[in-house]
């Protein structure tokens, strides 16, 4: 019951020499891959017996989206994108979820005469024929990216990962004590195919949903899996207690950690291939009451865009930050809590500063993304390679610019100051709540105020707020309260919006944003330049409040002001801005007559 133009792949064996040769030639002729990459994949096919297209993905030579586009052109088939996918599940009461998941078939359009489905594998015609038999009507298929299909199936038909088949063993005491004490049994459990598939599936789903972290948390009677997406945690899975030891052991083996050690925290790294692209995972284990809690931090290079405008820096603030980066020497600090995008901001700055005329070093813990043309150093405190010792050695390498992952102690701060005073530009991060608090933190750390006043060029404090979903956000009709609050925060609305009318919007929720009303994040920030007034306040050992007043008087827009301006432009909501800022602590600033006059 296949359509006539859909049968052209029926007689094709994707493992055959004929297909490998013809499709390889197509990739070469279309300049999709070079000759070296095609030969590498062809050798892998002959050695492993895998399908040619599968090998291309696993070797990272093609992404799943590029492969789908190549198949569509090669066979003259239609291409399907996520925009073609339905908002609600089709035939959910007829076609089992397990069948769609196993065969990667997504029904996308239904009529009384036929059904259109998106497929990742155009050679799996038997599954398409089985679907046609199930629904008793012809089936027409389009090619789509594997990751897009998996995400849509999970979203529309349920988060059905492998559960029951994996390590389904009775528990004698309910606590798996005997199993956990036997390291060999743990290794055997972690090596079983269902557990391997389960862990891999969780990682792939996390990457597909653009999660920043995967949290695997043991409970008294279950194992909870949550993804942090756009800064908020979402429950995605509740697994059986029997999986607790197996999942933990599998992740430890992948991260090369000690699976027998469950009393102490451990840190490791995993490098995996997802949809044809390389993804790094930072793994952290922590012993808790009911077992080890695991957090996998996803570092997906493909999803990170090192562009100030895309990060949320624009207008005069972008020019101000660019002016700081143009300084020939001194220290520029980026501050904020964990997960606020500090490292991404510094990487973006380094990308703009990188050139053949400059020698750039970074000292990081860990190295999150590899930057071409930049010398990156991973610290190893256990062997004495700390931030401070690395910095001292770097100074003998004749650098122009140095990025220090974090100023954690006085020794690191002192070496960074020495570097800046000898003609180097130093970029670094500090964990504080505001730009002004960074100065008081360094003084409390023991840095001499005259040194800080002379070498510090500027501080950027930042937070990440969720962007409104463009598919479902709706205008706010009653804007009086929000506009009044913005004015109370010291914002000149007409100037901030460039004379345009406010565009306040509210979150609604739709399938595209998982019913949250938000999709993606943007940066809100405050940039404290070390002007004459701020420098005088530092030398006078002024408190944080005075430093902030001096900064605002010199033109600094606070985190709250910057965030509310973005809310007035329709990028986010005032409520979201207030979630990550502290209006009460800044209220005096906004009622100070000096600052109001400056604003």
């Amino acid at each position: 019951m296949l359509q006539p133009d859909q049968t052209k792949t029926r007689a094709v064996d994707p493992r055959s020499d004929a297909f490998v040769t013809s499709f390889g030639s197509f990739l070469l002729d279309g300049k999709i891959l070079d000759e070296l990459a095609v030969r590498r994949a062809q050798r892998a096919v002959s050695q492993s017996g895998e399908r040619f297209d599968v090998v291309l993905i696993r070797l990272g030579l093609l992404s799943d989206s590029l492969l789908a586009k190549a198949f569509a052109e090669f066979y003259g088939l239609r291409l399907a994108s996520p925009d073609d996918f339905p908002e609600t599940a089709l035939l959910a009461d007829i076609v089992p979820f397990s069948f769609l998941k196993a065969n990667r078939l997504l029904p996308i359009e239904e009529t009384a005469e036929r059904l259109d489905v998106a497929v990742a594998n155009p050679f799996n015609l038997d599954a398409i024929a089985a679907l046609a038999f199930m629904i008793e009507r012809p089936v027409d298929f389009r090619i789509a990216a594997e990751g897009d299909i998996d995400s849509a199936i999970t979203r529309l038909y349920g988060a059905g990962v492998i559960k029951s088949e994996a390590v389904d063993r009775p528990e004698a005491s309910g606590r798996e004590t005997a199993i956990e004490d036997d390291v060999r049994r743990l290794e055997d459990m972690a090596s079983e195919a269902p557990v391997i598939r389960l862990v891999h599936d969780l990682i792939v789903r996390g990457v597909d949903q653009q999660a920043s972290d995967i949290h695997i948390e043991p409970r008294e009677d279950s194992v909870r899996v949550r993804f942090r997406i756009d800064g908020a945690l979402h429950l995605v899975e509740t697994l059986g207690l029997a999986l607790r030891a197996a999942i933990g052991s599998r992740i430890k083996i992948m991260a090369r950690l000690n699976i027998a050690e469950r009393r102490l925290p451990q840190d490791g790294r995993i490098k995996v291939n997802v949809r044809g692209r390389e993804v790094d995972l930072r793994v952290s284990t922590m012993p808790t009451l009911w077992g080890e809690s695991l957090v996998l931090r996803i570092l997906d290079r493909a999803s990170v865009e090192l562009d100030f405008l895309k990060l949320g820096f624009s207008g005069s603030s972008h020019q101000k930050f660019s002016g700081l980066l143009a300084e020939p020497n001194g220290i520029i600090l980026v501050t904020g809590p964990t997960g606020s995008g500090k490292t991404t901001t510094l990487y973006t700055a380094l990308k703009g500063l990188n050139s053949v005329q400059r020698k750039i070093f970074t000292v990081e813990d860990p190295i999150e993304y590899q930057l071409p043309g930049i010398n990156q150093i991973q610290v190893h405190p256990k062997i004495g390679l700390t931030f401070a010792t690395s910095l001292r050695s770097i100074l003998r390498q004749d650098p122009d610019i140095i990025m220090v992952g974090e100023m954690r102690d006085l020794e690191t701060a002192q070496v960074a100051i020495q570097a800046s005073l000898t003609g180097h530009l130093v970029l670094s991060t500090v964990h504080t709540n505001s730009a002004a608090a960074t100065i008081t933190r360094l003084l409390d750390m023991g840095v001499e105020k005259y040194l800080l006043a002379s070498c510090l060029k500027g501080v950027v404090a930042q937070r990440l707020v969720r962007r409104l979903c463009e598919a479902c956000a709706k205008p706010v009709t009653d804007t009086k309260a929000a506009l009044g609050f913005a004015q109370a925060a010291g914002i000149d609305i007409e100037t901030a919006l460039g004379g345009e009318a406010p565009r306040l919007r509210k979150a609604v929720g739709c399938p595209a944003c998982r019913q949250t009303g938000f999709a993606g994040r943007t940066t809100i920030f405050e940039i404290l330049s070390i002007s004459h007034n701020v420098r005088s306040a530092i030398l006078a050992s002024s408190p944080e409040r005075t430093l902030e007043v001096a900064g605002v008087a010199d033109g600094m827009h606070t985190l709250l002001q910057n965030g509310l301006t973005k809310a007035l432009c329709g990028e986010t909501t005032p409520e979201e801005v207030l979630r990550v800022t502290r209006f009460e602590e800044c209220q005096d600033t906004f009622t100070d007559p000096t600052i109001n006059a400056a604003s």
Side-chain angles (χ1 to χ4, degrees), residues 239-262:
L239 304 173
L241 189 62
L243 289 168
R244 181 175 62 189
I247 293 175
S249 299
R250 174 61 189 165
I251 293 173
K252 283 184 174 182
I253 289 172
M254 294 173 70
R256 299 180 181 179
L257 301 177
N258 183 0
I259 66 171
E261 180 56 75
R262 299 180 299 279

Side-chain angles (χ1 to χ4, degrees), residues 159-166 193-195 197-198 201 237 239 243:
V161 300
I162 303 166
K163 300 179 193 176
S164 58
E165 63 170 315
V195 174
R197 288 200 301 271
L198 172 58
D201 185 76
E237 201 71 48
L239 304 173
L243 289 168

